[in-house]
Amino acid sequence: GSGSGGSGTGTGLTDLPGELLELILCCDVLGAADIGRVSCTCRRLREACQPRGKVWRERFRLRWPSLLKYYSHSDSVSWLEEYKARHNAGLEAQRIVASFSKRFFSEHVPCDGFSDIETLGCPSHFFEDELMCILNMEGRKGLTWKYYAKKILYFLRQQNILKNLKEYLQRPTERQSFLEGAVLIDQYCNPLSDICLKSVQAQVDDITDKVRKVLRTKNPRHPSLASKAGEVLIPEVELQRQVLDAMNCVLYEQLKYKGNELDYYNSLNSYIHQVLIRRTGIPISLSVLYLTIARQLGVKLEPVNFPSHFLLRWCQGKEGSTDIFDYTYIDAFGKGKQLTVKECEYLIGHHVTEEFYGVVTSKEVLQRMVGNLLNLGKRESTDQSYQLLRDSLDLYLAMYPDNVQHLMLQARLYFHLGIWPEKVLDILQHIQALDPSQHGAVGYLVQHTLEHIERRKEELGPEVKHRSDEKHKEVCFSIGLIMKHKRYGYNCVIYGWDPACMMGHEWIRNMNVHSLPHGPHQPFYNVLVEDGSCRYAAQENLEYNSEPREIPHPDIGRYFSEFTGLHYLANTELEIRYPEDLELTRTTVQKIYSSGKE
């Protein structure tokens, strides 16, 4: 309009009522730069766009809607400053993510690789939000950015959860909720999942309400139906029994919760949010759920660290009794069945001493939950199980930082994986200070870790492989092609190749490579397989995939920046190592799939 002082007869912005002016300025077609320019035109518009006003709040909301949960309506916030801070945090996050591929392509991100992030000068939730924006980018581009954004987010969240766990452990025992402890373990092992105590508690509350409805039909005057039920324990055993009967009806009959006997060693059974989703678990996870509901209804159940099968106990005699026969024992895994001492022994098949019937603390419950996960991590030698082993060791050592056995296991794990040699030396030094009798094992690991560090220092730059070299003339396939294994039928993508098998004699013998027509004297390819594994395949065993599709491998972004629909594009770091492959891949794809269409 002509409204800031001209002689025209039209109506300008400044002539509009305040509410209508705000409505226009909050329009989503305007950007932050537009609002900045508008606010510089005159005093009226500057006041309409004041930093703490509705216009900048709406601009912030439109750009980053998930961040509003961090603010209260009563807060006096300079939305302009918050907008600038979030914008700058985004630029910083993008800079760090972009640097990770170049810095850490050829090795695991070292333990000090996140030092830039730990000293951020911006709110961590702003930084995390930008990482989530990167992860949620649509399409098949930005794979390398997504790969490293995921690693950084994993680290940030785990650091925050560890801090929360340590704060939890420092509270008085009566303020350590078993449910909260289970959620912290769940969060640490699944840091990229949307798990929070508030959501889990809401689901438990919903089950509790269902129990109250059943209880109301049996006893309309039951004290657990009172508005403040749970704050006061019910003293009468018969009234407590009514609660437990109603719980068993809801959990096991209506909602069909059950112990997971068929897939007992699945780690999902240990995660409380998965127990609620899948309605199945192992004795300890189901016991935490059962105990929490009972306490909310005024029945005090206590955890019992029974060997091989976690139980709860319910006092039938004088409160605090030390006589194990004054208690009934509850098997949450077995549909809430109530057991005598003798029946508990039948459950595991042997006699145990009285100490195993005693109550344990919340810290000891967490220790057992983490111990279960640790044992699961030891069962297999896969990337997924190694990650579980690393996470569970972190949790265990957060609770017991001077446990020599688990410190040694952590050092051996890092050594075996070939990661974080400097941290391995720190752990070994700590072990030696705690227990000098470990000097033999410590000395062995120190020697080999130092050798690893020296070899790493001697490494030159990346090996560059030119297809034009005479020694590479037999290499038929190139980086980024989607292949199929002729014998095993799996789909994969090539991310590296050698003109001949470069593995040792033992591997060649174990894999029976000499039985192949061309044996080890043919090109071999590093491939990422759709099942999440990495394999080394002979050229004669691979063929072009007639129906190329994305390979759902966790490391795909480490090597590739984009999936075109027919092949993968190598990222900058991989292209440096195979500079002539990109053009060959494009030519090959065009030749194969265009001829297929014809």
Side-chain angles (χ1 to χ4, degrees):
S2 57
S4 43
S7 58
T9 58
T11 302
L13 278 177
T14 54
D15 300 318
L16 297 173
E19 289 184 7
L20 184 56
L21 183 57
E22 271 190 352
L23 189 65
I24 293 170
L25 294 173
C26 287
C27 178
D28 58 6
V29 299
L30 297 176
D34 298 319
I35 302 301
R37 285 191 288 268
V38 165
S39 65
C40 293
T41 56
C42 68
R43 186 171 63 183
R44 174 83 198 283
L45 292 176
R46 185 166 62 250
E47 289 173 353
C49 301
Q50 59 177 299
R52 298 180 184 276
K54 182 179 178 181
V55 172
W56 276 110
R57 184 185 187 281
E58 184 63 9
R59 193 60 37 214
F60 187 92
R61 185 193 70 81
L62 289 170
R63 182 78 184 274
W64 303 293
S66 63
L67 290 176
L68 282 187
K69 64 186 178 185
Y70 294 100
Y71 303 93
S72 164
H73 283 292
S74 60
D75 291 341
S76 178
V77 177
S78 173
W79 293 104
L80 173 57
E81 292 306 313
E82 292 297 286
Y83 191 100
K84 290 178 181 177
R86 170 60 185 84
H87 176 74
N88 291 333
L91 295 177
E92 181 68 1
Q94 292 173 25
R95 181 191 68 78
I96 291 175
V97 169
S99 75
F100 263 54
S101 179
K102 185 175 182 179
R103 292 160 63 196
F104 306 126
F105 177 82
S106 58
E107 62 171 331
H108 189 278
V109 179
C111 52
D112 60 353
F114 298 102
S115 55
D116 290 355
I117 301 163
E118 293 179 298
T119 56
L120 283 174
C122 64
S124 61
H125 61 282
F126 283 178
F127 192 85
E128 281 195 27
D129 188 66
E130 182 63 28
L131 295 176
M132 287 302 301
C133 288
I134 293 171
L135 286 173
N136 293 330
M137 284 191 301
E138 293 184 7
R140 299 158 169 176
K141 297 183 179 181
L143 299 181
T144 299
W145 273 48
K146 291 177 182 179
Y147 174 79
Y148 287 105
K150 188 175 181 179
K151 282 196 173 297
I152 295 168
L153 189 60
Y154 202 99
F155 168 81
L156 277 175
R157 290 191 173 175
Q158 283 197 326
Q159 291 300 106
N160 192 48
I161 295 160
L162 269 189
K163 184 173 69 175
N164 293 340
L165 175 61
K166 290 173 181 176
E167 183 274 326
Y168 168 90
L169 293 170
Q170 289 172 356
R171 294 183 208 158
T173 306
E174 63 272 11
R175 289 185 54 231
Q176 292 177 347
S177 152
F178 293 100
L179 186 67
E180 183 179 357
V183 168
L184 287 167
I185 290 173
D186 192 347
Q187 289 174 326
Y188 192 81
C189 295
N190 304 284
L192 300 182
S193 298
D194 186 16
I195 305 163
C196 68
L197 178 61
K198 185 177 179 181
S199 171
V200 171
Q201 183 64 63
Q203 294 175 72
V204 173
D205 290 344
D206 184 57
I207 298 173
T208 305
D209 288 340
K210 287 181 169 64
V211 175
R212 285 197 178 96
K213 288 180 181 178
V214 171
L215 200 55
R216 185 174 285 110
T217 64
K218 304 293 184 183
N219 183 356
R221 302 180 64 184
H222 196 285
S224 291
L225 302 177
S227 59
K228 294 187 178 180
E231 295 181 11
V232 180
L233 295 176
I234 301 167
E236 295 86 354
V237 171
E238 182 52 38
L239 291 174
Q240 293 179 21
R241 188 183 306 280
Q242 292 174 11
V243 170
L244 298 181
D245 288 345
M247 282 177 55
N248 291 343
C249 174
V250 170
L251 281 171
Y252 304 112
E253 294 177 27
Q254 292 183 10
L255 300 178
K256 307 298 182 186
Y257 276 80
K258 62 181 179 180
N260 196 346
E261 296 177 347
L262 297 178
D263 194 15
Y264 190 88
Y265 296 103
N266 188 330
S267 61
L268 298 181
N269 295 325
S270 295
Y271 303 140
I272 194 67
H273 88 283
Q274 287 290 347
V275 171
L276 290 164
I277 292 170
R278 299 161 72 238
R279 300 187 182 184
T280 189
I282 53 176
I284 193 167
S285 57
L286 290 169
S287 291
V288 167
L289 176 61
Y290 197 99
L291 176 150
T292 302
I293 296 169
R295 290 195 172 188
Q296 289 185 183
L297 293 167
V299 178
K300 183 180 180 182
L301 300 182
E302 298 173 304
V304 176
N305 216 2
F306 205 66
S308 305
H309 199 106
F310 199 87
L311 296 171
L312 299 170
R313 73 178 193 181
W314 170 34
C315 185
Q316 304 286 289
K318 184 180 179 181
E319 186 177 351
S321 171
T322 56
D323 186 346
I324 63 173
F325 294 98
D326 281 345
Y327 293 88
T328 291
Y329 299 87
I330 296 175
D331 180 12
F333 186 82
K335 298 188 176 181
K337 186 177 180 181
Q338 296 174 10
L339 308 170
T340 63
V341 169
K342 186 59 67 178
E343 287 170 329
C344 290
E345 293 180 351
Y346 289 150
L347 188 66
I348 60 173
H350 60 85
H351 172 72
V352 296
T353 57
E354 289 193 7
E355 63 183 294
F356 289 104
Y357 292 91
V359 66
V360 289
T361 64
S362 53
K363 184 176 181 179
E364 290 169 314
V365 172
L366 297 195
Q367 178 187 349
R368 181 148 172 177
M369 295 184 85
V370 171
N372 288 338
L373 291 169
L374 209 154
N375 289 330
L376 291 178
K378 292 178 184 177
R379 288 174 65 87
E380 298 177 16
S381 297
T382 63
D383 289 344
Q384 189 176 7
S385 60
Y386 285 138
Q387 186 62 57
L388 180 58
L389 191 52
R390 287 172 58 188
D391 290 343
S392 52
L393 279 170
D394 288 345
L395 289 166
Y396 196 98
L397 291 169
M399 294 187 284
Y400 303 97
D402 294 334
N403 185 287
V404 170
Q405 178 186 353
H406 289 83
L407 283 167
M408 183 63 78
L409 179 57
Q410 188 178 56
R412 289 184 185 278
L413 176 63
Y414 292 162
F415 178 79
H416 172 75
L417 296 175
I419 62 173
W420 298 357
E422 291 81 5
K423 186 168 184 177
V424 171
L425 293 178
D426 290 341
I427 296 169
L428 294 172
Q429 185 178 14
H430 186 42
I431 292 171
Q432 187 64 39
L434 291 169
D435 185 1
S437 69
Q438 298 286 333
H439 67 274
V442 168
Y444 174 85
L445 284 174
V446 166
Q447 177 187 343
H448 286 80
T449 302
L450 289 173
E451 290 173 1
H452 172 72
I453 293 172
E454 286 303 313
R455 284 196 303 272
R456 194 175 64 179
K457 289 179 180 177
E458 293 169 3
E459 289 177 0
L460 301 173
E463 180 186 4
V464 178
K465 295 181 179 179
H466 293 277
R467 305 190 69 89
S468 53
D469 286 358
E470 180 64 21
K471 61 182 179 180
H472 297 152
K473 65 179 182 180
E474 300 297 327
V475 179
C476 295
F477 308 132
S478 53
I479 301 297
L481 288 175
I482 310 295
M483 311 297 290
K484 194 177 191 71
H485 197 280
K486 293 178 182 177
R487 183 175 179 183
Y488 298 118
Y490 61 70
N491 298 305
C492 59
V493 57
I494 296 171
Y495 71 95
W497 49 257
D498 296 309
C501 183
M502 301 300 289
M503 302 299 278
H505 294 298
E506 185 177 352
W507 186 90
I508 290 173
R509 184 177 65 253
N510 291 340
M511 301 303 292
N512 203 22
V513 173
H514 285 291
S515 68
L516 296 172
H518 296 92
H521 307 296
Q522 62 175 309
F524 270 69
Y525 297 85
N526 302 102
V527 295
L528 299 177
V529 184
E530 58 191 343
D531 65 1
S533 63
C534 303
R535 304 190 190 184
Y536 196 48
Q539 179 165 282
E540 65 184 78
N541 280 338
L542 294 176
E543 63 183 358
Y544 297 120
N545 195 315
S546 59
E547 297 180 351
R549 56 176 180 267
E550 286 187 86
I551 304 298
H553 194 285
D555 283 345
I556 202 80
R558 180 176 180 180
Y559 304 102
F560 302 103
S561 61
E562 180 182 346
F563 179 62
T564 67
L566 296 175
H567 66 96
Y568 280 93
L569 294 179
N571 62 23
T572 303
E573 297 305 314
L574 189 62
E575 192 176 349
I576 288 172
R577 289 154 175 80
Y578 298 91
E580 297 169 7
D581 273 47
L582 178 61
E583 191 55 42
L584 179 61
T585 297
R586 286 174 174 158
T587 305
T588 303
V589 166
Q590 188 175 12
K591 181 179 178 181
I592 296 169
Y593 301 115
S594 62
S595 62
K597 288 177 182 178
E598 292 170 8

